[in-house]
Amino acid sequence: MPRFPALRTISLLSTSLLLTLGATACSPDKDDAGHTPSAPSAAVALPASLTSQKLNWQPCHAPSTAQGGGATPGKLPDGTAWECANLKAPLDYAKPAGDTIDLAMIRAEAKGGGKRIGSLVFNFGGPGASGVATLPGYAQAARSLHSQYDLVSFDPRGVGNSAGVTCLSDKELDEQRGETHDLAGTAEQNKQTAAACAKKSGKVLPHVGTESAARDMDLMRQVLGDAKLHYFGISYGTKLGGVYAHLFPKHVGRTVLDAVVDPTQDAVQESLGQAKGFQLALDNYLAHCVKTPGTCPYRSPEDGRRRIAQFLAKTGKQPLPTKSGRKLTKEQTVLGIAETLYSKEAWPALSVSLSDAEQGSGDNLLKLADSYLSRDEKGHYSNTESASTAINCADTKRRTTPKEVQARLPEFRKASPVFGELTAAGLLGCTGWPVTGKADTPEVSAPGAAPIVVIGNAGDPATPVAGARKMAEKLGKGVGKLLTVKGEGHGTYGVNQCATEAVNRHLLDGKVPADGTVCS
């Protein structure tokens, strides 16, 4: 189903994805033996061996397969080299002196002549995105911030090289993706996946929730030597930032939340909102497409909607062949379309891919679906999906049955003829999960925290703009400062000049935009 993505770079020939499954619901965490651990208080007394640890920064290696693969990060344009290290953190914050895990980190020290403010910690979303693999590619957008901040990111617990959750093999994942199931079959498949996750990663599964990741960030703040946590969260990273602010309001430094998750919605509401958001983005694409004759395969938006529906019905009955020997299913078609809706820059790729598909070639849509699912050209998957499911199922309390989803299908289909069914089926993501979740919605109220800039984009398909308004409200009066952008795509920094300048003024100069600011 459509999910909260991280930073995405899309092209027809080379696609890189960092996003994850928006799983459904799940209730208090249990350990791998089935017990419910005691919840730690907001302030956990950590041993000095953790709070006083010295990070051993070394030149970074190429990202691992779990992190998404790729080349060793090169130096920044100003010559700054990337450095990597491991931070030790408690496996279970209710037992801070117990077992530990290593959290993979990356940084580029501040350089540029400005007065150093401290570290700026990034989370790029998902959940499940590797910050270690993503930050070097984001550095160009954040080049102004590098003058006064050490740019820092990390693989959250359960992700990439931070005790990464593992479940299925590449072959098993390919087999799953090549199959089409009804709701009962999807639930059964999810049970099998959950059993594999429990077998391979049972020890870490109870401890990968967002609250634990927020506590990791506060430990990170202490070890990095910062009195306050300066933070930039994108997509799911906004939820993480909100939870951090709730737990540690006095430690909140200059903070930006971009492409904001609605903290008031449960799993069903969230998924329904995404179905509507992706349909809106597709409709916006079609309206734009028909205004560019010669490149658009459709005569009108109505023609586009009709032909896309026909093609989905066709692939639902008979998957489309590709040169790789794999077949393009209906579900992969939907994911391939969704992949291009995170950025307006990818719309031309969607036009080409849909045109080729109608002519019998599913290669480009399959490449886009692979990108969505974090599958590289060699057939290797990162652990993004496994981590995403584990984190979401540790966070969310409610479990959804096939019968309940079936009853909601008309509502989802009405919200989106294209994305509704697959989004609804995604509500079964936690079926059979061995760990029960924490709550229906996250707690993000942060009275006493410093102002937090909250940014929503009107055309965002994955995190509709209403979520930013809700986050600003829930953070509390005087804390959440809402900035709305009238644009397309998921995320605004480095894309919209007005929003980018507002963020830079806040992070570099401490100037908070007026609540309710609108950028065109």
Side-chain angles (χ1 to χ4, degrees):
M1 62 172 278
R3 305 159 285 177
F4 302 138
L7 181 71
R8 314 175 65 77
T9 306
I10 303 172
S11 73
L12 278 177
L13 298 178
S14 172
T15 357
S16 85
L17 142 70
L18 296 158
L19 80 88
T20 55
L21 237 187
T24 62
C26 303
S27 350
D29 288 346
K30 293 182 180 180
D31 61 23
D32 49 312
H35 303 118
T36 303
S38 57
S41 62
V44 174
L46 299 177
S49 59
L50 296 179
T51 58
S52 300
Q53 64 185 292
K54 302 297 182 184
L55 297 177
N56 182 26
W57 295 105
Q58 297 290 329
C60 294
H61 299 293
S64 67
T65 299
Q67 292 173 315
T72 302
K75 293 182 178 180
L76 277 72
D78 62 14
T80 306
W82 292 100
E83 299 176 297
C84 289
N86 287 324
L87 172 78
K88 288 198 174 297
L91 171 65
D92 181 357
Y93 274 93
K95 303 173 183 176
D99 292 344
T100 62
I101 56 175
D102 286 342
L103 303 179
M105 295 180 61
I106 188 170
R107 77 170 180 185
E109 291 188 283
K111 187 174 181 180
K115 182 179 179 182
R116 181 182 180 277
I117 297 170
S119 300
L120 180 61
V121 177
F122 289 82
N123 180 280
F124 295 100
S130 164
V132 172
T134 307
L135 182 58
Y138 196 71
Q140 178 63 20
R143 61 190 181 279
S144 297
L145 305 175
H146 184 226
S147 64
Q148 294 180 250
Y149 286 101
D150 296 348
L151 303 182
V152 177
S153 193
F154 63 108
D155 291 356
R157 53 177 56 216
V159 176
N161 289 0
S162 295
V165 172
T166 58
C167 301
L168 300 177
S169 68
D170 293 336
K171 181 180 179 181
E172 289 169 330
L173 286 168
D174 271 349
E175 290 173 352
Q176 278 197 358
R177 297 304 169 196
E179 297 172 351
T180 299
H181 297 284
D182 59 15
L183 293 176
T186 297
E188 182 59 34
Q189 184 183 73
N190 291 345
K191 286 181 182 179
Q192 295 172 7
T193 300
C197 297
K199 182 177 181 180
K200 296 181 180 180
S201 298
K203 184 176 181 179
V204 74
L205 293 184
H207 309 296
V208 297
T210 298
E211 183 176 316
S212 293
R215 295 183 185 281
D216 289 339
M217 290 204 301
D218 201 60
L219 173 60
M220 197 176 300
R221 172 193 65 80
Q222 296 175 66
V223 173
L224 291 171
D226 292 324
K228 305 278 187 178
L229 178 74
H230 306 299
Y231 178 74
F232 199 136
I234 302 169
S235 196
Y236 161 82
T238 66
K239 174 182 174 180
L240 177 58
V243 170
Y244 179 88
H246 171 70
L247 292 173
F248 306 103
K250 299 301 183 183
H251 296 168
V252 171
R254 298 177 187 179
T255 297
V256 174
L257 307 181
D258 190 6
V260 182
V261 174
D262 189 335
T264 69
Q265 292 187 330
D266 64 19
V268 175
Q269 295 167 327
E270 188 175 78
S271 295
L272 189 62
Q274 281 199 321
K276 293 176 180 178
F278 276 93
Q279 188 64 47
L280 173 62
L282 180 61
D283 290 342
N284 289 345
Y285 153 75
L286 289 171
H288 179 270
C289 178
V290 298
K291 295 177 182 178
T292 55
T295 61
C296 183
Y298 308 118
R299 296 186 299 273
S300 66
E302 294 74 20
D303 179 52
R305 284 189 283 271
R306 176 181 59 81
R307 285 163 57 184
I308 290 171
Q310 289 176 343
F311 184 75
L312 289 174
K314 179 180 178 181
T315 54
K317 295 177 181 178
Q318 184 175 357
L320 201 65
T322 69
K323 293 177 181 177
S324 68
R326 298 162 62 213
K327 293 184 178 181
L328 177 74
T329 65
K330 177 182 178 180
E331 290 77 7
Q332 288 167 328
T333 300
V334 174
L335 294 181
I337 294 171
E339 171 74 352
T340 63
L341 297 178
Y342 292 103
S343 169
K344 192 173 182 179
E345 294 177 354
W347 288 1
L350 179 56
S351 294
V352 173
S353 299
L354 289 171
S355 180
D356 286 352
E358 284 193 332
Q359 296 175 40
S361 172
D363 292 274
N364 282 328
L365 278 174
L366 185 60
K367 287 180 182 178
L368 292 168
D370 283 347
S371 173
Y372 189 100
L373 296 166
S374 198
R375 182 188 190 274
D376 67 21
E377 294 179 355
K378 295 180 180 179
H380 300 311
Y381 290 83
S382 76
N383 94 311
T384 301
E385 279 205 56
S386 299
S388 174
T389 302
I391 294 167
N392 280 316
C393 295
D395 278 355
T396 10
K397 184 177 181 179
R398 180 177 172 180
R399 303 285 186 187
T400 308
T401 66
K403 184 177 180 180
E404 290 171 328
V405 174
Q406 185 68 45
R408 302 298 293 261
L409 272 179
E411 185 179 8
F412 275 81
R413 288 174 177 144
K414 182 179 179 180
S416 173
V418 173
F419 304 101
E421 288 187 12
L422 190 58
T423 309
L427 290 169
L428 299 171
C430 291
T431 301
W433 199 251
V435 176
T436 52
K438 185 174 181 60
D440 287 328
T441 57
E443 180 57 73
V444 299
S445 63
I452 295 173
V453 178
V454 179
I455 309 175
N457 199 4
D460 192 322
T463 51
V465 66
R469 293 193 288 270
K470 291 294 187 180
M471 177 68 82
E473 292 173 5
K474 286 296 181 180
L475 286 169
K477 187 175 181 180
V479 180
K481 302 294 184 180
L482 179 64
L483 189 156
T484 304
V485 176
K486 295 181 178 180
E488 301 293 336
H490 186 65
T492 65
Y493 186 75
V495 178
N496 179 274
Q497 183 177 352
C498 169
T500 301
E501 290 175 351
V503 167
N504 287 344
R505 285 193 295 271
H506 174 55
L507 292 177
L508 296 174
D509 303 323
K511 296 179 180 178
V512 182
D515 189 30
T517 296
V518 177
C519 288
S520 298

